[in-house]
């Protein structure tokens, strides 16, 4: 399943920080989530030019969000299927492994 994806997240304890971001696919949603994390790393380390991280740090970021869920379109049933934080971590691992050339 790699259809239209709505990423639902809460970035701070306040309910007013709840937001959503739409992506054409789950792969692009994972890329977007990584970009959010990378932006946060740059904000926390403004003097560092090349920021690197490993999957455990991305997982920590995902766990630090008060809420993180995705709704992924399953065209076979014409409905959105919820993906929880655990499933999003699995997708992040698969996506980053593919981008790194690890099979």
């Amino acid at each position: 399943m790699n259809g239209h994806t709505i990423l639902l997240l809460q970035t701070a304890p306040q309910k007013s920080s709840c937001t959503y971001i739409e992506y054409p696919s789950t792969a692009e949603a994972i890329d977007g989530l990584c970009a959010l994390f990378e932006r946060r790393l740059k904000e926390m380390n403004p003097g560092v030019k090349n920021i690197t991280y490993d999957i455990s740090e991305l997982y920590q970021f995902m766990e630090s969000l008060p809420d993180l869920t995705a709704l992924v379109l399953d065209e076979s049933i014409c409905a959105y299927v919820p993906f929880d934080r655990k499933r999003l971590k699995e997708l992040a691992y698969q996506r980053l492994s593919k981008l790194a050339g690890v099979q």
Side-chain angles (χ1 to χ4, degrees):
M1 194 175 341
N2 193 25
H4 180 257
T5 302
I6 304 169
L7 191 62
L8 307 164
L9 54 117
Q10 183 178 345
T11 58
Q14 300 81 10
K15 290 290 183 189
S16 62
S17 73
C18 290
T19 191
Y20 71 93
I21 308 168
E22 294 185 60
Y23 297 95
S25 68
T26 54
E28 291 175 81
I30 295 301
D31 291 346
L33 187 58
C34 290
L36 288 172
F37 176 54
E38 290 165 8
R39 232 176 283 133
R40 173 129 347 138
L41 287 175
K42 287 177 185 175
E43 289 169 4
M44 293 169 49
N45 303 286
V48 178
K49 286 187 179 189
N50 296 321
I51 294 179
T52 60
Y53 60 91
D54 63 32
I55 194 77
S56 66
E57 292 168 301
L58 177 61
Y59 287 170
Q60 277 182 320
F61 169 72
M62 293 171 77
E63 284 296 328
S64 75
L65 297 172
D67 193 14
L68 176 62
T69 307
L71 298 173
V72 180
L73 180 61
D74 183 343
E75 291 184 8
S76 70
I77 60 171
C78 297
Y80 282 87
V81 177
F83 281 23
D84 63 7
R85 194 180 312 254
K86 180 181 177 188
R87 180 70 177 125
L88 291 172
K89 285 180 179 180
E90 292 168 359
L91 291 173
Y93 179 80
Q94 292 169 4
R95 179 75 176 147
L96 294 176
S97 293
K98 181 178 180 182
L99 291 174
V102 178
Q103 297 301 326

